[in-house]
Amino acid sequence: MVALPWILLFAPLLACVAIVLGARKSKPASTALAIGGLVVSFVCALQALMHAGGEHPQIIQSSLNWINLPGLLLEFGLLLDKPAILMSLVVTGVGLMVFIYSTGYMKEDRSYTRYFACLSLFAFSMLGIVLSNNFVSLFIFWELVGASSYLLIGYWYEKPSAAAAGKKAFLVNRIADFGFLLGILTLWNISGLGGHEKTLNFVELAHRIPEFVHGGLISSATLSVAAALVFCGVLGKSAQFPLHVWLPDAMEGPTPVSALIHAATMVAAGVYLIARTYFLFWEAPQALIMVAWIGGFTALFAASMALVENDIKRILAFSTLSQLGYMVMALGLGGYTAGIYHLTTHAFFKALLFLGAGSAIHAVHSNDIWKMGGLLKKMPITGWTFLLATLALCGIFPLSGFWSKDEILAVAFHQNKILYLVGTLTAGLTAFYMGRLFSIAFLGESRVHHHEESHGHHGGIHESPWAMTIPLMLLTIPTIFGGFMGFPEFLHHTTHGGIHVEFNMTVAIISSIVAIGGLALAFMIYSKGMQPSAAAQKKLTWLATPLTRKYWIDEIYRYLNQNVQQQGAVFLGLFEKYVIMGLFANGMAKITGVTGLVLRRIQTGRVQSYAFMVWIGFAAIFLWVFRWVQ
């Protein structure tokens, strides 16, 4: 069991190395290595799950000393507890479906082996975040996830929009990670209070921080600052406002990439970080309030933008932003179990939605939902599985999304009525934009151009190959039954802090009515042709414009970049050139040179020169004395 987390972690990395070094020219070998590596990790996660029964299971922790100096001990260590086991199953299970799906979706891609090498590197990086037992290891893998996601988002690097999206995601996350790094350094200093040896180990910090607070060694305000800095990392990876701007653009990568890193794993890393460090946030109530409000605002904010989006992948991207906001809000309100529960179920049905979208795009060769239509008849497996995932996302009973979303709403109802209303309104908007997507893309008559229709076998749009549809069907199992798999019970008693709220029938009924109402309204407008009149639509332009322009956030950042950041960079460049380099560095060098020149003239080593200077001195003294005598 001690070796289990190491095998779980390094199997995908070994597959990546083997592909790069030995299978770059062989599609079957690279496929077998990538899928085989993740299968090994998935089996290890299942084995860990079988040994994780009971209220107080054994926690597996294994570490190797990395840097051991007086006063500085850094370790590379792994921690396998219930949250890590659950997240490992999500990463490897959903990842395995994406890997299999990719064999069909990327079949004709000319860089097929590079794609699977990057996927394996990403799986290794994400598992490193999940399994790390300290902030140093976690931050290393945190940055590796950023690097591997950059490679996958910009996978089609010859396409300018894809290259730009990769750079945007990378740079936005670097801004967030600077704050995260400051938070880690702050916790490093805090951990040494009371004469303790400084540490960044999660288990040690989980015991020390409550003791420091209750013993009066540190205030909750100071901890709130540290928690807020750590939360900066969450703003980047989980794309919370105001650093949400990278995620919609990241849809430029291959659709399986969107399913893997932007639905099930990478964006979930931020939520998992809050859960892993909940011992810190629970002792910092001011930070928890901030977390809850940012999450609630992001959930509503992102859902509103999805209402008018026409790109199927971007609709799902905004949906991901919104659902991540739900999870962050739940954790901020004290709903540790509710947040992780929704993180788990959401990974299944959102991956199913992205893979279903990829299947539709693969058939019609367009991301625009208005260029689809009638796909439910022509692609029944894709259509019906997409419908199930849509209903799960909307929170329709008895699908998995119903149970996890309603647990979040129950926590909000108990803790903060305003955020409960925000969450309920978001649920209605979610049902409406997903109903709109499904009605336009999968119902009605086909709007696929005749030229695109001819791409299919037998002269028409057809169902995707089995390599793509089998993962869709397998993902429907947890989508349907995820609410009955006992995730909340499994997570019970796994954290320091958090509240538990029982199932609230009133909340469940209200949310179900709102969700059904949103779906029905979308169906009537987009399937039954009950759109508002042209005059009414014209009057609503003032509302639609900010939504289509995404509230001008990108424009604001572009203005700040060009007119503030660039001007600041010019000023700092001139300051460095003329003040730091010109005045201080070069100026000191010139002063030293002149001083040396003067001293060289004085210290010549010639007796005649020294005698001459002595006589000049005597003359000066004589004149000075003679002046005073006069």
Side-chain angles (χ1 to χ4, degrees):
M1 290 298 291
V2 174
L4 192 65
W6 297 98
I7 300 172
L8 171 59
L9 172 63
F10 281 100
L13 178 63
L14 293 176
C16 174
V17 173
I19 292 171
V20 172
L21 296 181
R24 284 185 298 172
K25 297 182 180 180
S26 174
K27 286 186 178 181
S30 62
T31 301
L33 286 168
I35 294 177
L38 205 58
V39 166
V40 171
S41 294
F42 181 63
V43 171
C44 289
L46 286 176
Q47 187 175 353
L49 178 66
M50 290 189 294
H51 289 82
E55 292 188 2
H56 304 287
Q58 180 183 1
I59 295 176
I60 303 172
Q61 186 170 198
S62 180
S63 300
L64 300 173
N65 286 346
W66 178 27
I67 299 175
N68 193 353
L69 298 172
L72 177 63
L73 174 61
L74 299 181
E75 59 183 359
F76 183 85
L78 305 181
L79 173 64
L80 195 58
D81 57 2
K82 284 187 173 183
I85 292 171
L86 186 59
M87 193 64 188
S88 296
L89 285 168
V90 169
V91 174
T92 57
V94 174
L96 189 56
M97 296 299 101
V98 172
F99 277 42
I100 296 171
Y101 179 96
S102 295
T103 61
Y105 192 89
M106 303 295 290
K107 183 178 181 180
E108 304 300 327
D109 191 86
R110 58 189 178 88
S111 299
Y112 183 92
T113 58
R114 173 169 63 89
Y115 173 80
F116 274 97
C118 291
L119 279 188
S120 296
L121 177 63
F122 174 82
F124 163 71
S125 305
M126 188 63 205
L127 286 171
I129 290 178
V130 172
L131 298 172
S132 289
N133 75 337
N134 65 86
F135 274 109
V136 176
S137 298
L138 185 143
F139 191 76
I140 292 171
F141 287 111
W142 193 267
E143 297 305 305
L144 273 175
V145 164
S148 54
S149 66
Y150 167 77
L151 295 174
L152 287 167
I153 294 168
Y155 173 76
W156 289 314
Y157 56 85
E158 67 277 5
K159 183 180 174 184
S161 58
K167 289 186 286 187
K168 185 176 183 179
F170 189 80
L171 291 174
V172 170
N173 276 276
R174 297 297 70 71
I175 294 169
D177 292 350
F178 177 70
F180 182 24
L181 183 58
L182 292 178
I184 292 173
L185 295 175
T186 303
L187 286 172
W188 170 261
N189 285 323
I190 289 174
S191 68
L193 294 175
H196 289 88
E197 183 179 352
K198 292 182 179 180
T199 183
L200 289 172
N201 183 279
F202 295 136
V203 176
E204 287 294 325
L205 288 172
H207 286 95
R208 290 186 193 181
I209 286 180
E211 292 178 3
F212 293 163
V213 174
H214 300 151
L217 293 176
I218 190 171
S219 66
S220 61
T222 303
L223 276 184
S224 292
V225 172
L229 290 171
V230 171
F231 185 66
C232 288
V234 181
L235 292 178
K237 278 290 188 291
S238 289
Q240 297 297 284
F241 180 86
L243 299 182
H244 64 284
V245 292
W246 68 269
L247 185 58
D249 289 352
M251 298 300 107
E252 290 291 338
T255 303
V257 169
S258 301
L260 180 63
I261 68 179
H262 302 128
T265 55
M266 175 184 169
V267 293
V271 178
Y272 181 78
L273 175 62
I274 302 177
R276 175 54 78 199
T277 59
Y278 210 62
F279 55 83
L280 168 65
F281 286 89
W282 186 250
E283 300 295 340
Q286 296 95 330
L288 273 182
I289 294 171
M290 175 196 69
V291 169
W293 281 100
I294 289 178
F297 177 79
T298 302
L300 183 60
F301 179 76
S304 67
M305 291 185 284
L307 295 172
V308 296
E309 183 58 64
N310 294 324
D311 186 309
I312 188 171
K313 288 173 65 177
R314 285 177 177 262
I315 294 172
L316 298 179
F318 284 122
S319 172
T320 298
L321 284 173
S322 183
Q323 297 304 306
L324 290 167
Y326 259 121
M327 301 169 205
V328 171
M329 181 183 75
L331 290 166
L333 292 172
Y336 172 89
T337 301
I340 302 302
Y341 186 16
H342 196 56
L343 169 64
T344 305
T345 60
H346 173 262
F348 298 128
F349 55 73
K350 183 55 64 68
L352 178 53
L353 284 169
F354 267 110
L355 295 183
S359 181
I361 294 167
H362 188 263
V364 304
H365 306 281
S366 175
N367 289 22
D368 191 341
I369 56 175
W370 292 102
K371 295 181 179 179
M372 298 180 183
L375 295 182
L376 184 62
K377 293 180 181 178
K378 298 182 178 183
M379 306 176 68
I381 297 176
T382 298
W384 286 108
T385 55
F386 196 95
L387 177 60
L388 283 171
T390 296
L391 296 177
L393 175 60
C394 296
I396 301 300
F397 178 85
L399 303 177
S400 60
F402 167 81
W403 303 100
S404 57
K405 183 199 71 175
D406 274 50
E407 186 156 339
I408 292 176
L409 292 176
V411 171
F413 184 79
H414 183 268
Q415 296 289 93
N416 189 311
K417 295 297 190 295
I418 296 177
L419 286 177
Y420 164 71
L421 293 175
V422 169
T424 303
L425 177 58
T426 301
L429 296 179
T430 301
F432 180 82
Y433 68 68
M434 289 305 299
R436 171 180 177 266
L437 187 163
F438 191 83
S439 297
I440 296 172
F442 288 90
L443 302 180
E445 296 299 321
S446 175
R447 291 178 295 277
V448 180
H449 193 276
H450 176 72
H451 172 71
E452 301 298 343
E453 281 271 13
S454 65
H455 278 71
H457 294 303
H458 310 296
I461 299 298
H462 63 95
E463 185 59 87
S464 297
W466 287 111
M468 295 169 64
T469 53
I470 288 176
L472 297 181
M473 291 185 285
L474 290 176
L475 282 169
T476 59
I477 297 172
T479 296
I480 297 172
F481 300 107
F484 306 99
M485 291 182 177
F487 292 127
E489 293 77 12
F490 181 76
L491 289 168
H492 204 45
H493 303 301
T494 61
T495 184
H496 299 266
I499 63 169
H500 177 69
V501 177
E502 295 294 335
F503 179 79
N504 190 313
M505 182 60 73
T506 302
V507 169
I509 292 173
I510 293 173
S511 68
S512 296
I513 292 173
V514 169
I516 293 171
L519 286 169
L521 181 61
F523 180 76
M524 287 189 293
I525 293 175
Y526 296 101
S527 286
K528 296 298 183 180
M530 298 175 63
Q531 292 95 339
S533 64
Q537 291 183 36
K538 189 174 181 180
K539 291 181 180 179
L540 292 174
T541 303
W542 66 272
L543 180 60
T545 300
L547 298 180
T548 55
R549 298 294 296 273
K550 302 174 183 63
Y551 298 99
W552 297 279
I553 300 295
D554 280 302
E555 285 83 352
I556 292 171
Y557 283 157
R558 190 175 299 113
Y559 175 83
L560 292 174
N561 177 265
Q562 294 175 353
N563 298 279
V564 178
Q565 187 268 338
Q566 289 297 330
Q567 297 303 320
V570 170
F571 169 76
L572 292 175
L574 294 173
F575 182 81
E576 178 191 27
K577 181 178 179 180
Y578 292 106
V579 177
I580 296 178
M581 297 300 297
L583 181 60
F584 289 100
N586 294 335
M588 292 299 295
K590 289 178 180 178
I591 291 172
T592 303
V594 171
T595 303
L597 180 63
V598 172
L599 291 175
R600 191 163 62 249
R601 296 295 183 187
I602 297 173
Q603 299 293 337
T604 63
R606 298 170 61 187
V607 176
Q608 298 94 322
S609 298
Y610 295 156
F612 179 71
M613 294 300 296
V614 169
W615 283 110
I616 289 176
F618 277 133
I621 294 171
F622 175 78
L623 291 173
W624 182 75
V625 172
F626 180 77
R627 178 187 174 189
W628 282 103
V629 171
Q630 291 292 328

